[in-house]
Amino acid sequence: MSAEPISQFGQSPMRVQKQIQLPFSKAWQISVRSIRIRLARSIITAGGIFLGIAFYSSVRASSLFPIGEGPEAIAEANRQTWLAVMALLVCFVGIMNSMLMSVTERFKEIGTMKCLGALDSFIVKLFFIEASLMGVVASIAGWFAGWLITVTIRLFTDGVRAFGPNFLTGSLIQMVTAVGIGTLITLVAAIPPASRVARMPPAAALRSEI
Amino acid sequence: MAANEYVVRTKGLVKIYTMGDEVLRALNGVDLDIRRGEYISIMGPSGSGKSTLFNAIGGLDRPDEGSVFINDVDMAQLDARELAYLRCHTIGYIFQSFNLIPVMTALENVMLPTVFAGTPTDEGIERAIELLNIVGLGHRLHHRPAQLSGGQQQRVAIARALANHPSIILADEPTGNLDLKTGEEIIALLRRLNKEQGVTVISATHDLKMVDVSDRIVWIRDGKIAKIEERADVEINIGQMEGEEALV
Ligand SMILES: Nc1ncnc2c1ncn2[C@@H]1O[C@H](COP(=O)(O)OP(=O)(O)O)[C@@H](O)[C@H]1O
Ligand SMILES: [Mg+2]
C-alpha cells in the first residue's frame, strides 16, 4: 500500500485498493482474439513483414549455391553481400512502416482501455504478444517464400548440381536468422510507441489523432 | 456519515497549457463539491474548460495545481495501480465520440471493464447482457459499433460505464454528436439511471436540455466557475434568457 491518502476535510480517509494484475493467459487470449477479429488488417500488417523477410531471404538463399573461385567469384560474393545489406534495409523500413501504422491507429483504443482500468503493463503485454505472433508467423512464411523462389530458379537454371554441400544446414541457419530478424524488427517497431502511449495520461492518449 | 456526503471535491484546480509563448489557464482555480447521488451539469461555451475539468475529476489528466478528492481520497496520492482501480471500479466514463472499441461487439465492449476487474467471464457476460437490456439494446448484443446508430452507440457506452457498479458517471458532452431527439433520449436515460441506481452523474455539456434534469448546474467560463445554481432557480432564469424552447 502506498502513502496514506490525505484528507483535508477531516474525515477518516478511505483507502483505494490496487488494481489486480491480469494473468498472462488473459493477455494471450485477448491478443489472439484481437488478431483474429481484425483479420484483414492483421494480414495487411503481416504482409508487410512477409514481403520484407521474403525479399531478404531470397537474396540470402543465393549463398546456398557455391560460386567457385577467382576474381569473378569474389566480385559475385561482394555483390551478394551488398544485396543482402540492401535487402535487410528495405525489409527493416517495410516492417517498421507497417507495424508503426498498425500501432498508431490504435492509440485511441489504448486510451480507452486505460479509462476502463487497464494497467500500462497489461497494454504493453498485449502489444508484445500480438507483435511477436505476427512477427514469427509472417517471418516464417516470408523466409520460406523467399527461399523457395531462389531455390526454384536455381534448380531450373543450373540443375541439382548447383546445390552446395551445406545446403540443408545453411537453409536452416538462414531460417532461424530471418525469423529472428523479422520478429526483432517487428517488436522494435511496435513496443516503443505502444508503451509510450500506455504510459501517457489517458486524456493525452485519447486526444492523439492518426 | 459526513464522509459519505460528498463523492467528489475539487480544491483550487489549475490546469495550464503552454503553446509556444502563449500560456493558457484552461482551469483557473476551480472549487467544486459534488454530493453523492446528484445529477450535476457543467455548462459553458466551447473552450471554457469543461473537458479539462472532466479529465481532472476522472483522473485522466493531472492538474498543475490543486487537488481532486474522490470519496475523500486525494487522487494525487494514488499510485498507478490505485488510479487504475479507481478508473475501473469507481468512475464510469462517457464521451462525446463514444470511444467504443470498433472491432468488438456491443456485448464485448460492455464486458471489457469486467475483464479488467478480474470478474469471471460468465459473470461478466451476464452483467453485460443485463446492462444492455437496461439501456434498451438487449436485441443488439452482437452488433459492432459501426452497425449501430449514434444513439445506440452512446447507449452501449453508458452500459459500459456502469459495468463495475461505479459510484460516479462522468460524461463529456454525451449528446454532442447526436440529433435533438436522440440527445433527449440519452439525457432521459442518464437521469433514470441516476434515480434508479443512485449513481452520481456529472455531465459536461452546452446542451440546455440538460438543465431540465440536473439537480445543480455549474456554469463555467474561462476556466472559472461563474455560478452554481439549483435547478429551481435556473428554470426561471433560462426561461427569461433563452425563451420557451430552452425549457423543452
Ligand atoms: N491539449 C491541449 N493543449 C493545448 N490547449 C488545450 C488542450 N486541451 C484544451 N486546450 C485549451 O483549453 C481550453 C479549454 O478547453 P476544453 O476544456 O476542451 O474546453 P471545453 O471542453 O469547454 O470546450 C481551450 O481554450 C482549449 O483550446
Ligand atoms: Mg469539451
Side-chain angles (χ1 to χ4, degrees):
Chain A
M1 202 65 198
S2 74
E4 187 86 350
I6 297 162
S7 170
Q8 277 185 219
F9 299 103
Q11 288 106 7
S12 60
M14 290 166 78
R15 282 172 172 260
V16 174
Q17 277 174 260
K18 283 190 194 292
Q19 179 73 317
I20 57 155
Q21 243 146 353
L22 293 174
F24 187 81
S25 58
K26 197 79 212 176
W28 176 268
Q29 199 184 321
I30 294 180
S31 302
V32 172
R33 269 192 48 96
S34 172
I35 293 178
R36 249 184 342 116
I37 229 167
R38 52 186 113 222
L39 192 61
R41 187 67 186 86
S42 307
I43 287 174
I44 292 172
T45 307
I49 304 168
F50 170 88
L51 286 178
I53 292 298
F55 180 42
Y56 170 71
S57 156
S58 69
V59 171
R60 293 288 291 127
S62 302
S63 71
L64 296 170
F65 303 90
I67 39 180
E69 279 160 42
E72 255 179 59
I74 293 171
E76 171 62 15
N78 284 339
R79 201 181 67 90
Q80 278 190 14
T81 310
W82 185 79
L83 261 177
V85 170
M86 287 308 291
L88 199 59
L89 218 66
V90 170
C91 148
F92 184 80
V93 172
I95 296 178
M96 274 293 207
N97 187 40
S98 43
M99 276 323 280
L100 273 177
M101 280 278 293
S102 83
V103 176
T104 310
E105 68 190 14
R106 286 168 68 188
F107 278 5
K108 212 166 170 175
E109 181 181 322
I110 294 177
T112 306
M113 291 206 285
K114 286 197 73 172
C115 289
L116 303 181
L119 292 171
D120 302 359
S121 56
F122 185 76
I123 290 167
V124 175
K125 243 181 258 170
L126 284 186
F127 279 83
F128 182 83
I129 296 170
E130 268 188 52
S132 309
L133 281 175
M134 300 236 285
V136 168
V137 172
S139 300
I140 291 177
W143 163 77
F144 183 69
W147 175 88
L148 193 65
I149 287 171
T150 301
V151 169
T152 310
I153 289 173
R154 283 310 185 100
L155 204 56
F156 277 106
T157 50
D158 304 327
V160 233
R161 271 175 306 135
F163 284 62
N166 299 323
F167 178 76
L168 277 183
T169 40
S171 297
L172 205 66
I173 290 169
Q174 284 183 8
M175 181 184 92
V176 173
T177 326
V179 173
I181 289 174
T183 311
L184 190 73
I185 301 174
T186 306
L187 286 173
V188 163
I191 299 307
S195 73
R196 185 171 55 81
V197 179
R199 275 183 280 113
M200 276 186 191
L206 284 172
R207 248 196 319 267
S208 54
E209 299 286 334
I210 316 169
Chain B
M1 199 169 84
N4 277 328
E5 190 185 350
Y6 293 107
V7 65
V8 176
R9 310 187 94 174
T10 76
K11 228 173 156 40
L13 277 189
V14 173
K15 179 75 187 178
I16 299 167
Y17 290 117
T18 330
M19 312 267 277
D21 290 342
E22 240 180 285
V23 176
L24 178 80
R25 295 173 87 86
L27 292 180
N28 196 2
V30 173
D31 300 303
L32 182 60
D33 296 343
I34 298 170
R35 287 182 214 107
R36 195 167 295 279
E38 248 188 329
Y39 190 120
I40 202 160
S41 286
I42 298 166
M43 288 261 178
S46 181
S48 55
K50 302 184 295 295
S51 296
T52 310
L53 182 58
F54 168 96
N55 289 336
I57 292 177
L60 303 184
D61 213 353
R62 284 193 185 280
D64 293 298
E65 288 169 33
S67 350
V68 176
F69 298 85
I70 301 287
N71 293 325
D72 286 317
V73 174
D74 185 351
M75 255 205 262
Q77 305 292 322
L78 301 179
D79 68 21
R81 282 182 63 188
E82 290 162 341
L83 208 51
Y85 182 91
L86 204 74
R87 293 185 193 125
C88 188
H89 293 263
T90 312
I91 306 174
Y93 306 87
I94 298 169
F95 303 91
Q96 176 173 357
S97 51
F98 320 131
N99 287 0
L100 300 174
I101 313 271
V103 293
M104 292 187 180
T105 63
L107 184 71
E108 291 164 338
N109 266 289
V110 177
M111 248 189 91
L112 195 54
T114 71
V115 172
F116 294 134
T119 313
T121 309
D122 297 351
E123 267 176 58
I125 292 176
E126 215 172 287
R127 173 79 181 144
I129 293 175
E130 179 196 340
L131 284 166
L132 283 164
N133 276 314
I134 289 177
V135 300
L137 283 179
H139 59 305
R140 291 284 184 274
L141 299 180
H142 303 295
H143 285 58
R144 300 264 170 86
Q147 300 164 323
L148 297 170
S149 72
Q152 289 173 329
Q153 288 185 54
Q154 198 59 301
R155 284 168 188 272
V156 175
I158 292 172
R160 181 180 68 182
L162 289 165
N164 291 326
H165 306 276
S167 44
I168 306 160
I169 286 214
L170 265 177
D172 191 6
E173 311 233 13
T175 61
N177 278 1
L178 304 175
D179 62 58
L180 204 79
K181 184 169 161 294
T182 316
E184 279 172 11
E185 286 166 13
I186 292 297
I187 292 170
L189 173 62
L190 283 173
R191 181 56 175 179
R192 202 186 94 211
L193 294 168
N194 164 250
K195 285 225 169 98
E196 286 175 3
Q197 321 234 340
V199 60
T200 308
V201 175
I202 305 169
S203 177
T205 185
H206 57 239
D207 187 343
L208 286 169
K209 292 195 296 300
M210 279 280 190
V211 169
D212 216 32
V213 299
S214 308
D215 296 320
R216 282 197 299 161
I217 297 97
V218 178
W219 298 88
I220 179 169
R221 189 171 283 273
D222 299 330
K224 280 188 169 146
I225 293 180
K227 60 182 170 186
I228 301 181
E229 293 179 307
E230 304 286 330
R231 172 162 43 144
D233 309 331
V234 186
E235 279 182 10
I236 302 160
N237 291 343
I238 289 195
Q240 288 165 349
M241 286 180 335
E242 314 273 344
E244 297 298 321
E245 79 271 47
L247 282 165
V248 183

